[in-house]
Amino acid sequence: MSPSLIYLVAGARPNFMKIAPIVRALQARADRFDFRIIHTGQHYDREMSDVFFDELGIPKPDYHLEAGGGSHATQTAKIMVAFEEICQKARPDCVLVVGDVNSTLACSIDAKKLDIPVAHVEAGLRSGDMRMPEEINRLVTDSISDWFFCTEPAGVDNLLREGKGQDVVFHVGHVMVDNLLYQRDQLDASDKAGLETEALKQQFPRYGVVTLHRPSNVDDEQNFHGIASALRDIAAELPLIFPVHPRTRGNLEKFGLDLGPNVHLIRPQGYMSFLNLWKDAALIMTDSGGLQEETTALGVPCLTLRENTERPVTIDEGSNVLVGTDPARILEEAAKVLAGQGKQGRRPALWDGKAAERIVADLDRLIKL
């Protein structure tokens, strides 16, 4: 009996970090599973070299769809056309999609129209904000998926409320945390002298980290001005290191924003270099969904500069505080952290580095040979 064939879809660097633990878990069950890694090419990333895949402990993608950029419609359409062709040439037993990017949406639609089961990892997350393209992708993907692998209880609750059956919704933990723990161990055992962020850590024994990229923060001049003023004030007490997204840097210049001498702008970092930086930070301020979760996993104080979050477990149990974009609120919560009075969180249930093993065990039962 031949192994079941699974297509693992990834469109951007964070997606590969999510599928990497699943790849390793599937490799451990080579008697039962075969897999192909599909890189849709949704985002070009110069950091995704051979070394990147070596760090993840996975092989390079089997297919590269080279979708590239463009509008949401253009990008989604390119991915759908290319992925459909692959599925028709060699039909898989399951298409596994992760997260909430356009690749997630496009490939799940293709699979369902070809009557191929779809497994969604990170299913059930909801922000309630339909202005976010990711929220639309999450809703549509979950509306047509067959099997749902959830990172937290809120995801399970959302899916059951939306009418999904308990027999297809699974609380398994978080593959991103699997990867985080795996790569943290690699980092601890490596020579960090060559990392750009190591020199900064030597220069600043105590520091904070900032990441901003959401349009609601960096494209809105009023919001960005308010955030910038808060960062400038916090940096007077705590040096801040800010890996700057290209669009964010462009808007800093466009809006004439001066963050002051204690906010240190650096280029975007590779995963290991950035992990080396933020894991030892005194404070993180971000609008990233993934970083909310990773900081909770390692117990690093995090202020989320958004009005909502689709990851409520990081608030309810973790080290994350949702502060919005009001400068006074940002300063108030930052002051608590710097005074040693910040929120003390805990790592949520099943965020133990074994989520991928649980997913593969469930797929072993679900996929019918």
Side-chain angles (χ1 to χ4, degrees):
M1 188 178 294
S2 59
S4 298
L5 177 61
I6 299 180
Y7 281 176
L8 303 169
V9 175
R13 183 166 42 149
N15 292 165
F16 283 98
M17 297 167 194
K18 294 170 186 176
I19 69 166
I22 301 171
V23 169
R24 297 192 294 266
L26 290 171
Q27 288 172 326
R29 291 296 314 276
D31 60 319
R32 177 68 175 89
F33 295 103
D34 193 8
F35 65 88
R36 301 290 183 271
I37 300 174
I38 316 295
H39 181 9
T40 67
Q42 177 175 331
H43 292 161
Y44 170 75
D45 193 329
R46 61 184 175 80
E47 297 290 343
M48 285 178 53
S49 61
D50 290 351
V51 173
F52 173 75
F53 293 101
D54 290 342
E55 288 178 347
L56 292 175
I58 65 172
K60 292 178 67 176
D62 297 280
Y63 297 97
H64 197 307
L65 307 188
E66 300 181 349
S71 70
H72 286 283
T74 299
Q75 189 178 73
T76 302
K78 286 180 180 178
I79 295 168
M80 288 184 69
V81 170
F83 185 63
E84 180 185 54
E85 183 177 343
I86 293 173
C87 289
Q88 289 174 327
K89 285 181 179 178
R91 182 184 178 88
D93 297 291
C94 171
V95 169
L96 186 148
V97 296
V98 298
D100 52 23
V101 297
N102 288 341
S103 301
T104 310
L105 172 69
C107 295
S108 62
I109 292 173
D110 267 343
K112 284 305 292 183
K113 292 200 171 188
L114 293 170
D115 198 27
I116 299 167
V118 177
H120 185 200
V121 174
E122 273 193 320
L125 298 179
R126 302 287 182 267
S127 70
D129 185 353
M130 292 297 288
R131 297 169 300 175
M132 297 174 62
E134 299 93 338
E135 183 77 351
I136 297 167
N137 291 344
R138 288 189 283 262
L139 285 164
V140 176
T141 300
D142 281 341
S143 73
I144 61 175
S145 293
D146 297 275
W147 305 315
F148 307 88
F149 297 104
C150 301
T151 60
E152 59 173 278
V156 174
D157 293 342
N158 289 333
L159 291 166
L160 296 181
R161 188 167 53 249
E162 292 166 9
K164 306 304 179 186
Q166 291 185 337
D167 58 332
V168 294
V169 177
F170 308 95
H171 179 204
V172 294
H174 203 343
V175 291
M176 197 67 167
V177 176
D178 291 11
N179 183 68
L180 170 63
L181 300 178
Y182 176 88
Q183 295 206 255
R184 182 194 61 181
D185 291 345
Q186 274 203 322
L187 183 64
D188 288 346
S190 70
D191 179 7
K192 295 176 278 294
L195 298 177
E196 180 179 338
T197 54
E198 186 64 17
L200 287 166
K201 291 173 71 174
Q202 299 303 316
Q203 183 180 354
F204 303 109
R206 188 169 187 255
Y207 59 89
V209 172
V210 179
T211 77
L212 291 170
H213 73 281
R214 291 196 177 277
S216 59
N217 282 339
V218 302
D219 293 352
D220 184 305
E221 185 172 1
Q222 183 176 351
N223 275 354
F224 207 176
H225 267 285
I227 293 170
S229 70
L231 296 179
R232 203 162 41 240
D233 289 347
I234 293 166
E237 182 174 347
L238 180 75
L240 298 178
I241 302 172
F242 189 174
V244 189
H245 186 283
R247 189 176 74 252
T248 304
R249 187 180 287 273
N251 283 339
L252 282 170
E253 297 171 1
K254 177 182 176 181
F255 301 145
L257 296 177
D258 178 13
L259 298 178
N262 295 323
V263 179
H264 303 274
L265 306 183
I266 63 173
R267 66 183 181 87
Q269 298 294 299
Y271 184 82
M272 293 294 262
S273 183
F274 185 52
L275 173 58
N276 182 57
L277 179 69
W278 72 256
K279 72 181 181 66
D280 297 315
L283 170 66
I284 291 176
M285 290 173 285
T286 186
D287 58 12
S288 161
L291 199 50
Q292 293 175 56
E293 294 172 320
E294 290 186 302
T295 51
T296 277
L298 295 190
V300 180
C302 178
L303 304 184
T304 294
L305 310 183
R306 288 169 49 182
E307 302 300 332
N308 54 58
T309 180
E310 64 283 356
R311 293 160 166 88
V313 75
T314 65
I315 306 290
D316 298 338
E317 300 182 29
S319 56
N320 186 24
V321 178
L322 194 66
V323 297
T325 57
D326 176 46
R329 172 81 167 132
I330 297 170
L331 290 171
E332 177 187 3
E333 292 298 329
K336 290 179 184 177
V337 174
L338 298 183
Q341 300 168 355
K343 182 181 178 187
Q344 299 298 311
R346 65 178 182 271
R347 188 181 294 177
L350 302 183
W351 288 24
D352 56 2
K354 298 180 180 178
E357 295 173 24
R358 296 185 190 99
I359 291 170
V360 169
D362 286 329
L363 290 175
D364 195 14
R365 293 185 296 100
L366 294 165
I367 296 177
K368 310 300 183 186
L369 291 176

